[in-house]
């Protein structure tokens, strides 16, 4: 019998492209996309879609039973910058949605879960470069706290109840389809749009802020490969470090300027600077590389080429 999947938060930046990829792999009718609203009409019209609030346990459970779902990808979350503005809402959404899917797996309604964590689990006391898989995690954002606690619960449910939950600590993700919303790394998407539209960009982080980043195609590849890996190869049930590239706003500016010579940038750091300063600048993902052969494909210039080509064609 083929696997049936539910994606919660399918209209978001990662959910949109993950849904497309999973439909290619598993067949359109085997992948139910869901979100709290129908804001992304292309996605909504691309196959089975349900309106589901990730905080509503019964709505998720009914959907799983009605569609005989065995695997959930829980992509709904409030990110780092929005989480600082709405701390209780971030806690409520990020934690309760995770408990809902963990408990559906614990009680046998579903078999497998993908839940994204983030580099936001790290904080100012974490080693900043080549941050190891196992290290100090003292996050200073609400979002980071929810991801760190979520990781502990994932490992707990795996150890105590045998739940097959798999997770990646995503770095900043850069893509040209759906826009990101409410993150600290969002500048690295906005900059491409502004370079093409206005030939100038005002960056909310300072020029030398180096952060771990990844092109969307690599993030989707990592997610599908981790979910396809044999269970007995996986040594991490909290969340895997994952890395591709690290760059600063100045680096990405120069990469774009090579294609758009008149492009200019100014820097006006805001409250997101403190969040970025608390995160690592590069990540050691050797455990992911060893356990499930993770390898990234895109460096900064290859990503810039893809971003500009696709945005120009829109
Ligand atoms: C954010 O900036 O909040 C996210 C993340 C790194 O998890 N993109």
């Amino acid at each position: 019998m083929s696997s049936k999947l539910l994606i919660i938060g399918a209209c978001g930046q990662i959910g949109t492209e993950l849904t497309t990829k999973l439909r290619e792999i598993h067949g359109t009718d085997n992948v139910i996309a869901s979100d709290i609203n129908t804001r992304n009409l292309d996605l909504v019209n691309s196959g089975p879609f349900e309106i589901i609030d990730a905080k509503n346990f019964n709505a998720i459970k009914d959907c799983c039973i009605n569609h005989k779902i065995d695997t959930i990808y829980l992509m709904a979350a409030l990110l780092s910058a929005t989480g600082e503005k709405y701390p209780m809402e971030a806690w409520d959404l990020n934690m309760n949605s995770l408990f809902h899917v963990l408990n559906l797996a614990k009680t046998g309604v579903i078999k497998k879960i993908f839940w994204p964590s983030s580099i936001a689990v790290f904080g100012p006391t974490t080693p900043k470069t080549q941050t190891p898989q196992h290290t100090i995690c003292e996050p200073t954002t609400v979002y980071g706290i929810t991801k760190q606690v979520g990781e502990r619960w994932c490992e707990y449910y795996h150890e105590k109840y045998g739940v097959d939950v798999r997770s990646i600590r995503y770095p900043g993700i850069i893509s040209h389809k759906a826009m990101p919303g409410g993150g600290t790394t969002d500048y690295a998407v906005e900059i491409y749009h502004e370079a093409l539209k206005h030939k100038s960009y005002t960056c909310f982080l300072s020029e030398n802020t180096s952060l771990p980043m990844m092109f969307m195609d690599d993030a989707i590849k990592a997610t599908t490969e981790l979910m396809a890996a044999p269970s007995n190869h996986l040594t991490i049930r909290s969340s895997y470090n994952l890395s591709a590239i690290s760059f600063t706003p100045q680096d990405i500016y120069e990469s774009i300027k090579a294609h758009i010579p008149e492009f200019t940038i100014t820097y006006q750091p805001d409250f997101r600077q403190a969040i970025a300063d608390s995160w690592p600048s590069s990540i050691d993902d050797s455990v992911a590389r060893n356990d499930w052969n993770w390898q990234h494909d895109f460096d900064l210039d290859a990503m810039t080429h893809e971003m500009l080509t696709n945005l120009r064609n829109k």
Side-chain angles (χ1 to χ4, degrees):
M1 206 179 75
S2 58
S3 192
K4 285 207 91 177
L5 282 49
L6 170 64
I7 303 165
I8 301 174
C11 291
Q13 185 201 13
I14 303 176
T16 302
E17 299 203 35
L18 187 61
T19 302
T20 307
K21 186 69 196 177
L22 291 174
R23 285 187 168 150
E24 269 168 43
I25 298 172
H26 298 274
T28 300
D29 290 343
N30 289 323
V31 178
I32 315 299
S34 75
D35 209 301
I36 193 165
N37 59 39
T38 54
R39 67 195 145 126
N40 182 340
L41 279 180
D42 286 345
L43 190 278
V44 170
N45 294 327
S46 69
F49 182 87
E50 300 233 347
I51 293 184
I52 293 181
D53 177 350
K55 290 182 290 186
N56 185 337
F57 177 76
N58 287 329
I60 303 173
K61 186 177 176 187
D62 288 349
C63 178
C64 289
I65 291 170
N66 292 342
H67 292 280
K68 300 188 170 50
I69 299 292
D70 55 57
T71 303
I72 291 182
Y73 291 72
L74 174 55
M75 310 310 289
L78 280 195
L79 301 186
S80 56
T82 314
E84 293 310 285
K85 290 185 184 150
Y86 307 105
M88 287 302 114
E89 286 82 352
W91 179 261
D92 186 20
L93 171 63
N94 296 2
M95 296 316 304
N96 284 320
S97 59
L98 176 59
F99 279 123
H100 293 341
V101 297
L102 286 173
N103 285 325
L104 286 173
K106 179 185 166 189
T107 53
V109 176
I110 59 167
K111 293 196 175 70
K112 206 167 170 182
I113 297 166
F114 178 78
W115 173 78
S117 184
S118 160
I119 55 164
V121 295
F122 302 121
T125 50
T126 304
K128 211 163 174 61
T129 55
Q130 286 303 104
T131 301
Q133 175 71 48
H134 299 285
T135 188
I136 301 167
C137 290
E138 295 180 329
T140 50
T141 61
V142 174
Y143 172 63
I145 294 169
T146 66
K147 290 298 179 186
Q148 185 206 28
V149 174
E151 287 189 6
R152 297 289 90 229
W153 278 110
C154 287
E155 191 179 272
Y156 185 90
Y157 268 67
H158 178 72
E159 294 296 322
K160 299 279 174 192
Y161 311 122
V163 168
D164 188 358
V165 52
R166 304 173 182 209
S167 177
I168 284 170
R169 289 171 176 157
Y170 285 133
I173 308 293
I174 291 98
S175 63
H176 49 79
K177 291 197 178 126
M179 290 297 278
T184 301
T185 57
D186 294 6
Y187 90 84
V189 179
E190 289 170 12
I191 193 169
Y192 287 105
H193 288 263
E194 293 303 305
L196 287 169
K197 241 191 264 160
H198 299 119
K199 312 276 182 273
S200 72
Y201 179 61
T202 302
C203 185
F204 59 74
L205 297 183
S206 66
E207 62 183 301
N208 293 322
T209 308
S210 177
L211 287 170
M213 300 278 190
M214 180 175 287
F215 187 49
M216 180 63 88
D217 293 28
D218 277 333
I220 299 297
K221 183 174 85 151
T223 307
T224 53
E225 286 180 358
L226 172 62
M227 288 301 273
S231 184
N232 61 357
H233 289 200
L234 305 182
T235 59
I236 302 292
R237 291 298 185 150
S238 50
S239 190
Y240 277 98
N241 273 11
L242 193 76
S243 151
I245 37 180
S246 285
F247 56 78
T248 64
Q250 187 67 19
D251 295 332
I252 192 170
Y253 165 68
E254 278 161 21
S255 176
I256 297 171
K257 199 172 158 65
H259 298 257
I260 307 174
E262 64 275 38
F263 181 39
T264 60
I265 190 164
T266 50
Y267 295 96
Q268 271 177 30
D270 65 14
F271 73 100
R272 288 168 281 193
Q273 184 66 46
I275 300 176
D277 288 342
S278 77
W279 290 349
S281 56
S282 62
I283 301 286
D284 175 353
D285 62 354
S286 46
V287 182
R289 289 179 192 259
N290 284 334
D291 283 7
W292 42 281
N293 299 321
W294 157 245
Q295 294 178 40
H296 68 278
D297 293 326
F298 288 85
D299 63 14
L300 175 56
D301 289 335
M303 180 175 85
T304 294
H305 177 263
E306 284 295 305
M307 287 295 291
L308 294 177
T309 309
N310 282 283
L311 290 176
R312 276 186 177 123
N313 289 341
K314 263 193 173 178

